[in-house]
Amino acid sequence: MGRILIIEDEVAIATFVESGLCAAGHTTMAVHNGREGAALARDGAFDLVILDLGIPGLDGLSVLRQIRSREERLPVIILTARNELDATLESFEGGADDFMTKPFRFEELLARVTARLAPQRGDDEGLQRLVVGASTLDLERRTINIGDTSHELSSREFKLAVTLFRHPGQVLSREQLLSRSWGYEFDPGSNVVDVYIGYLRRKLGRDAIETVRGAGYRLRN
């Protein structure tokens, strides 16, 4: 069970989410202003934040950036009426852990909250680096190193890179990359995976990640 901060300006939605989460055993607090939400998130009293983008006082992306600027690992789930690709990409680039659009099913939101609050144990726990060919993924510094060249990774790039480096030579579908890297359902109309594969190719080299037509992507050994 977790302590959850809900930053949502629509009172009816905030009350609905609060009621469901409390019924599931969580402790909640709801605020309707971005500045107040950002201040509460700084207190360290919460285990997870549900954040709307279109909130007054301080917009959701600014609140998210403030949380991540302190290098906090506090999970943040975006819950918004904005469903365009730019909003999704901006949220993940800003450090969001998950993204849901309104209207939504509470059961799905609860499942995502549960997944984000669960202790995470990766196959590479205890390791500091994953090495594939001439490329090294530094798990502590969140960088990709090729020879003497080092590239910093955004939160979204890093999680996608971890998935690829754990499965070198294996073809992974877009659905698998989405669920294993970012933990949200696959949208057939979205090209988020393709966009971030492009970002990683710029750092790994264009031929490092192979497109397997009709199947997905593969990190070359």
Side-chain angles (χ1 to χ4, degrees):
M1 299 301 102
R3 300 161 298 173
I4 300 172
L5 174 63
I6 303 163
I7 309 176
E8 166 64 64
D9 66 325
E10 295 187 52
V11 176
I13 292 178
T15 301
F16 169 69
V17 172
E18 265 203 293
S19 298
L21 291 174
C22 289
H26 298 287
T27 301
T28 64
M29 175 180 288
V31 296
H32 313 297
N33 179 283
R35 295 192 185 281
E36 185 180 0
L40 286 168
R42 285 197 296 269
D43 292 343
F46 297 95
D47 301 308
L48 183 142
V49 174
I50 296 174
L51 174 64
D52 183 22
L53 293 182
I55 48 177
L58 190 67
D59 67 88
L61 285 174
S62 297
V63 173
L64 177 62
R65 293 188 187 106
Q66 284 197 18
I67 293 172
R68 291 297 178 247
S69 69
R70 297 187 295 275
E71 298 184 355
E72 296 178 3
R73 302 305 304 158
L74 181 66
V76 177
I77 297 176
I78 300 296
L79 184 63
T80 180
R82 295 176 57 188
N83 61 0
E84 63 267 25
L85 178 61
D86 287 347
T88 307
L89 293 177
E90 283 183 314
S91 299
F92 285 138
E93 279 296 311
D97 296 279
D98 210 337
F99 187 99
M100 289 188 68
T101 56
K102 305 170 186 175
F104 63 93
R105 293 180 303 166
F106 177 76
E107 293 81 4
E108 181 182 353
L109 175 61
L110 180 60
R112 298 187 187 204
V113 167
T114 301
R116 292 299 167 189
L117 290 176
Q120 300 297 310
R121 291 181 59 88
D123 296 336
D124 48 25
E125 186 173 355
L127 295 179
Q128 294 181 331
R129 298 175 182 85
L130 295 174
V131 180
V132 176
S135 303
T136 300
L137 180 63
D138 190 313
L139 301 176
E140 291 188 345
R141 298 181 180 179
R142 298 194 168 203
T143 59
I144 282 178
N145 307 307
I146 305 171
D148 295 329
T149 304
S150 179
H151 300 281
E152 293 187 0
L153 300 174
S154 70
S155 174
R156 291 293 105 195
E157 290 172 338
F158 175 73
K159 290 181 180 180
L160 180 59
V162 168
T163 300
L164 291 167
F165 271 72
R166 283 178 176 170
H167 305 279
Q170 179 180 339
V171 178
L172 297 171
S173 68
R174 288 177 176 82
E175 295 95 330
Q176 289 173 315
L177 289 170
L178 278 166
S179 63
R180 295 183 187 185
S181 303
W182 304 325
Y184 67 98
E185 291 184 354
F186 178 62
D187 176 3
S190 170
N191 67 343
V192 171
V193 168
D194 309 83
V195 170
Y196 278 90
I197 287 289
Y199 292 162
L200 288 181
R201 279 174 171 160
R202 294 175 193 171
K203 298 175 179 181
L204 285 167
R206 186 159 191 83
D207 296 330
I209 302 174
E210 177 186 3
T211 300
V212 181
R213 189 174 298 276
Y217 294 99
R218 172 169 51 205
L219 180 65
R220 295 181 186 272
N221 290 324

